[in-house]
Each structure stands twice: as C-alpha cells, then as structure tokens.
Amino acid sequence: MPLLDNKTCIITGGAGSLGLAAAKLFLDEGANVALIDLSMQALEQAAKDLPKDRVELIAADVSRATDAALYVGRTVGRFGPLDVLFSNAGNFGRVAPIHDYPEDVFDRVLEVHVKGAFLAAKHAVPQMNDGGSIIITSSVAGMRGDAGVYAYITAKHAQVGLMRCLAKELASRRIRVNTIHPGPIDNAFQLHVEKGLGEAIGGDGTEFFNARIPLGRHGTPEEIARSVLYLASDQSSFVTGTTLMVDGGMSV
Ligand SMILES: NC(=O)c1ccc[n+]([C@@H]2O[C@H](COP(=O)([O-])OP(=O)(O)OC[C@H]3O[C@@H](n4cnc5c(N)ncnc54)[C@H](O)[C@@H]3O)[C@@H](O)[C@H]2O)c1
C-alpha cells in the first residue's frame, strides 16, 4: 500500500528544489498535492511533468494571511481535508556584521520563514484530519550560530519554537509536528550562499562546507525528500516534537 494513498498534502516553496523533490515522492506514494509558491510561471515550469489530475498549483505569498487562507481553502476545496502540511518556503537574506545588517532584510526573512510557517499552521490546522502531519523545513542553521547570518539563523531557530508549541497543542488530535534540518544541499539556493561565503573568505565556499560535514559531501534534494516522506507518513507514527537532522553529521 502506498505511504500517502489519497492523502491531501500542501507543500509551500513548491516550485523550489526541496519542495519539488518532496512533491514527486509524495505523488509516487499516492498523494494529491497542492504546490504553493510566489510565481505561477515558476510553478507551471516546476510541475510540467507532474500528473495534472493530482496536482493543484497556487500562487501565494506565505507571509500574507489572506494568501494562507486562500491556498488552504483551494486545496481543501479540490482534494478534501488536509493530511500533510510541508511548510518549506524560504529565502536566505544576507550575511553582514550586526551593525550593518539591513533591518528590512531581517524583517523579510523572518516574515517568510516564521510568520509564513505560523500562518500556514493557523489556517491549515482547523482543516486537518486527526492523525495528520506538519513538517517545517528548518536547517542545520536552526541548531547553531554563525557570524553575520542574523536573519536566516534567527528564523530557523524560531521555527523550532513554533514546532514545539504546535506539537504539544495538537498531540490530542494525533497531529504530529516536526522540523527537518537539512545540511548543505547540492542546489541553487545553497550555491548562492556559498558564492557569497567564498567572496567573504577568499576561498571556495563549497569546499568550506564539505570540510565541516563528516560524510564529506552535500546532500541531494531526494535525500531530504525521503526524510520528509518519513515524517509525513505513518512510518513516523510515534515521532512528534522532534528536530530531525539530515545533514551528513554536520551538527555533531
Ligand atoms: N538548499 C539548502 O542547502 C538548504 C539547507 C537547509 C535548509 N534549507 C531550507 O529548505 C527550504 C527550501 O529551500 P530550497 O533549497 O528548496 O531553495 P529554493 O530557493 O529552491 O526553494 C525555496 C522556494 O520558496 C519560495 N518562496 C520564497 N519566499 C516565498 C514566499 N514568501 N511565499 C511563497 N514561496 C516563497 C521560493 O520562490 C522558492 O521556490 C527553505 O526553507 C530553506 O531555507 C535549504
């Protein structure tokens, strides 16, 4: 029996690398999937090979309450009550010393990761079946500090607090809530981070990270998607309130 047979799933950041990898795996396991992202054009491009009868594309900004109400409502209207919310949309912001860190960048990064995950849960939970699963994409950056990465690291830590509150509140409905913490992934999002880092340290940003990962390499989007599937499905039926590191040992 497929792991997500006929389940209704929302994936935010669905046009991006990790969101799309999770969508493919969820669909392989029998789910109906709503992909949420900022641009319809990006969503259509990402979803061009996905089965249209089981995929809904919704352009929305996760940091806006009206958009959260809209994407939850449309998903439930098409596929029925929710079973899985994968709250995954993200932006990186900037690296700068504290006295120079732009306030507007700080605000926007927190809006997307923290307010976005809060609003997703606020609107999704009343429409979710008992026994559902919420997964929030934090990061290895949600477990450690690094100079200059003020907005992103603060946001990724805050998501853990949100997850823990939700896990306690929703346990009585058997809704499980967890964060997943990817290490550096071989994709455009991370490459952008590493280019900036490389310029700052005058070296190779990718090698800088590999030297700090015990398994000695970046992860793949598919490796993260498999861990998301574990948390989304009944395979993890006794797992809630946890911070699942999928980082090649980087946080050890
Ligand atoms: N790539 C990595 O190495 C890595 C490591 C750890 C954690 N993460 C986290 O994984 C998640 C997915 O990142 P990714 O690597 O797939 O990057 P990505 O850039 O490919 O995907 C992120 C998606 O989120 C969307 N998005 C941004 N702001 C949004 C908003 N306001 N509303 C709706 N959608 C919005 C973007 O348009 C993009 O499609 C992010 O939360 C990121 O912080 C990534």
Side-chain angles (χ1 to χ4, degrees):
M1 166 110 163
L3 290 175
L4 297 178
D5 197 28
N6 214 26
K7 301 280 188 196
T8 302
C9 306
I10 285 178
I11 300 179
T12 72
S17 164
L18 302 189
L20 184 61
K24 287 178 179 162
L25 214 46
F26 284 15
L27 288 161
D28 286 350
E29 293 294 337
N32 297 311
V33 176
L35 297 179
I36 319 303
D37 212 299
L38 287 170
S39 131
M40 184 50 83
Q41 202 184 354
L43 283 164
E44 280 169 354
Q45 175 63 24
K48 63 183 188 323
D49 297 326
L50 303 182
K52 291 192 174 31
D53 57 328
R54 290 194 287 131
V55 174
E56 180 77 13
L57 305 179
I58 306 171
D61 180 339
V62 296
S63 68
R64 294 165 54 125
T66 46
D67 287 24
L70 175 130
Y71 73 69
V72 168
R74 267 184 55 188
T75 305
V76 172
R78 175 154 177 207
F79 296 130
L82 301 175
D83 298 291
V84 175
L85 168 63
F86 180 30
S87 220
N88 165 75
N91 53 349
F92 180 68
R94 215 176 284 178
V95 181
I98 189 68
H99 64 275
D100 241 5
Y101 205 95
E103 190 179 334
D104 60 334
V105 173
F106 187 87
D107 285 347
R108 185 60 187 150
V109 172
L110 265 79
E111 258 177 26
V112 174
H113 295 272
V114 185
K115 194 169 177 198
F118 162 77
L119 288 173
K122 182 176 163 71
H123 289 272
V125 164
Q127 307 288 341
M128 188 170 258
N129 285 318
D130 290 359
S133 172
I134 298 175
I135 306 114
I136 301 172
T137 310
S138 178
S139 166
V140 69
M143 286 290 159
R144 48 170 291 154
D146 273 306
V149 194
Y150 291 103
Y152 189 72
I153 288 185
T154 302
K156 290 307 196 188
H157 277 71
Q159 289 178 324
V160 174
L162 174 68
M163 174 277 285
R164 287 183 169 139
C165 295
L166 288 167
K168 286 250 171 95
E169 178 170 331
L170 303 179
S172 60
R173 290 179 51 200
R174 292 180 297 104
I175 295 174
R176 300 175 299 100
V177 191
N178 297 286
T179 43
I180 187 162
H181 297 254
I185 303 305
D186 190 6
N187 69 11
F189 183 97
Q190 179 65 13
L191 196 59
H192 168 74
V193 173
E194 289 168 4
K195 274 194 178 144
L197 177 71
E199 283 159 21
I201 62 174
D204 186 323
T206 303
E207 283 314 310
F208 176 91
F209 278 107
N210 281 340
R212 285 159 180 76
I213 302 169
L215 287 182
R217 65 172 176 85
H218 286 38
T220 66
E222 293 70 29
E223 286 175 308
I224 302 306
R226 285 200 294 274
S227 297
V228 176
L229 174 63
Y230 164 72
L231 291 174
S233 73
D234 288 346
Q235 298 283 304
S236 59
S237 53
F238 201 49
V239 180
T240 195
T242 201
T243 51
L244 179 60
M245 309 305 302
V246 191
D247 66 349
M250 188 175 174
S251 52
V252 171

